[in-house]
Amino acid sequence: MTLTDLPAGFRDEEQRGYVRRVIHDRLADDRDQQECRYLMRFWWQLGMSYREVKLDQLRANLGEGTLRLVEELIDAVRTSHEAIDGWVDAVEGSRPVVRDRGFEEAETWPGGRARPAP
């Protein structure tokens, strides 16, 4: 299954930015280099029209929990803008911000939510 249709599934650039921020801040843990590498390829692909990563590659390189969330996002993008908002809210409510070593060294820790509360 191709993922090149995903960039067209967002309401606007703002919604795409929320999703990409959640992936970066809450899913991409650099302590697991392989998983992080493929998540960041997926993150990149959400903003581009060319293929950066295939679903088979995600399935082979993501852990079970992370893969489930990515597959839920793919389904949400192909379902509705409201489903995407629901995915953002669910992940932010269930996953803490990843303790990224780069942020710790630079003392620039991300905070807050990807989407402001209504």
Side-chain angles (χ1 to χ4, degrees):
M1 175 188 317
T2 182
L3 303 176
T4 57
D5 63 322
L6 296 180
F10 295 95
R11 177 184 307 116
D12 50 30
E13 287 299 318
E14 185 176 50
Q15 187 180 49
R16 182 189 347 260
Y18 295 150
V19 168
R20 292 178 84 201
R21 182 171 169 194
V22 168
I23 290 169
H24 179 274
D25 293 353
R26 299 188 185 254
L27 300 182
D29 188 341
D30 69 346
R31 291 173 292 184
D32 184 336
Q33 289 289 310
Q34 188 73 356
E35 180 173 276
C36 188
R37 180 179 301 115
Y38 279 88
L39 269 173
M40 294 314 293
R41 286 181 179 179
F42 179 69
W43 175 90
W44 188 257
Q45 186 162 319
L46 291 177
M48 303 296 160
S49 59
Y50 61 85
R51 184 176 68 218
E52 182 70 26
V53 67
K54 296 177 183 178
L55 187 55
D56 292 352
Q57 292 172 311
L58 294 174
R59 288 181 174 147
N61 291 285
L62 301 184
E64 184 179 324
T66 304
L67 177 61
R68 180 182 49 79
L69 292 172
V70 168
E71 288 178 333
E72 288 172 2
L73 172 59
I74 292 167
D75 290 342
V77 171
R78 292 181 173 153
T79 300
S80 71
H81 302 142
E82 293 74 23
I84 296 169
D85 289 338
W87 182 89
V88 168
D89 292 340
V91 173
E92 285 188 324
S94 66
R95 300 283 292 256
V97 173
V98 172
R99 306 262 334 149
D100 184 287
R101 294 179 298 218
F103 285 131
E104 288 175 357
E105 289 177 16
E107 297 180 5
T108 56
W109 195 250
R113 296 172 53 86
R115 268 185 337 123

